[in-house]
Amino acid sequence: MAKKGKKMQEALKKVDNTKNYELAEAIALVKEIDFAKFDATVEVAYRLSVDPKKADQQIRGAVVLPNGTGKTQSVLVFAKGDKAKEAEAAGADYVGEADLVEKIQGGWFDFDVVVATPDMMAEVGKLGRVLGPKGLMPNPKTGTVTMDVAKAVEEVKAGKVTYRVDPQGNVHMPMGKVSFSDEKLLENFQTIHDVILKAKPASAKGNYIKNLVITTTLGPGVKVDAQSL
């Protein structure tokens, strides 16, 4: 097992691993024990009692955080004609067609989110093997395959985050930065939590939220009492 650094050891001393903290206390604690030399991301991780192998339990979607993520994401849009102009006017960082497909096939990935109009998906489909593993493939469920490209770009710039359950039943999402006030982090968390609760499949059995942890980029996780929310 890798040896934990001195700063991590000090941070761990302040966390009671036998305790499920109240939400506000957990948020304050992860900020206190963060030791990154940069403005770290605060993340939330859910362990859900779902079986992702079942089609009706593949939780996936997107949500716009009321206070943003603290990160300005670069957006690439596959569109043509008037839709390309709309995307550019909305603030898209890159807009194109086959030219961008070729550029990405050549190994270029200087973007965070990909949006496409439905008529471009045949072209974008050529990139499935490279965009898919990176979680960048446009999808109607996350609002990234749409004719309303302006809205899609504006939402991403405003703090839209996507989520998808992994094979183990976990969902991870950023909820802001350490520099955010506790109130802003609380608001962002509540928005995320409401979405996760609404996404509960009717066929999911038992206690839906098995585990809930808040952490920062480098810091240790702090367990949250999900039953109190």
Side-chain angles (χ1 to χ4, degrees):
M1 183 178 290
K3 184 179 179 181
K4 294 183 175 68
K6 189 174 181 180
K7 290 181 178 178
M8 175 61 90
Q9 290 179 28
E10 290 299 316
L12 285 167
K13 288 178 183 177
K14 298 180 180 179
V15 180
D16 182 353
N17 282 327
T18 66
K19 177 180 178 180
N20 287 333
Y21 291 82
E22 295 292 320
L23 177 60
E25 189 180 6
I27 287 175
L29 182 56
V30 293
K31 290 174 65 176
E32 178 191 339
I33 62 179
D34 174 66
F35 54 83
K37 293 182 179 179
F38 54 90
D39 190 9
T41 297
V42 180
E43 303 171 351
V44 57
Y46 288 84
R47 181 71 182 272
L48 305 175
S49 60
V50 296
D51 183 357
K53 292 179 182 178
K54 296 180 179 178
D56 64 335
Q57 296 190 27
Q58 293 175 0
I59 294 172
R60 183 176 189 175
V63 60
V64 178
L65 301 183
N67 300 299
T69 62
K71 176 187 177 184
T72 301
Q73 301 200 90
S74 59
V75 186
L76 182 153
V77 179
F78 286 104
K80 52 190 174 184
D82 289 342
K83 290 300 172 184
K85 292 176 183 176
E86 287 176 24
E88 289 173 351
D93 299 274
Y94 309 100
V95 182
E97 302 175 47
D99 56 325
L100 288 181
V101 172
E102 188 176 333
K103 193 172 180 181
I104 292 169
Q105 286 175 328
W108 176 73
F109 294 99
D110 193 19
F111 49 88
D112 300 304
V113 179
V114 180
V115 174
T117 53
D119 59 318
M120 288 299 300
M121 285 308 292
E123 195 73 23
V124 179
K126 298 174 184 177
L127 299 171
R129 289 185 177 179
V130 290
L131 293 182
K134 294 179 180 291
L136 292 170
M137 195 67 182
N139 189 295
K141 290 183 179 179
T142 58
T144 48
V145 176
T146 175
M147 287 302 289
D148 196 347
V149 289
K151 180 183 177 183
V153 171
E154 288 164 0
E155 286 185 341
V156 171
K157 294 292 185 179
K160 183 178 183 178
V161 295
T162 59
Y163 57 91
R164 184 176 186 175
V165 66
D166 69 17
Q168 288 72 47
N170 301 309
V171 175
H172 297 262
M173 271 191 273
M175 53 182 275
K177 294 285 186 178
V178 170
S179 61
F180 280 24
S181 67
D182 290 12
E183 290 72 22
K184 285 186 175 182
L185 288 171
L186 279 164
E187 286 177 4
N188 278 356
F189 173 85
Q190 198 58 60
T191 298
I192 290 171
H193 193 65
D194 289 347
V195 165
I196 293 295
L197 290 179
K198 288 176 183 175
K200 181 182 179 180
S203 58
K205 305 297 182 184
N207 188 20
Y208 178 50
I209 300 176
K210 289 183 176 179
N211 200 27
L212 175 54
V213 175
I214 293 177
T215 186
T216 57
T217 307
L218 299 178
V222 175
K223 291 188 288 185
V224 177
D225 182 7
Q227 305 306 315
S228 68
L229 300 174

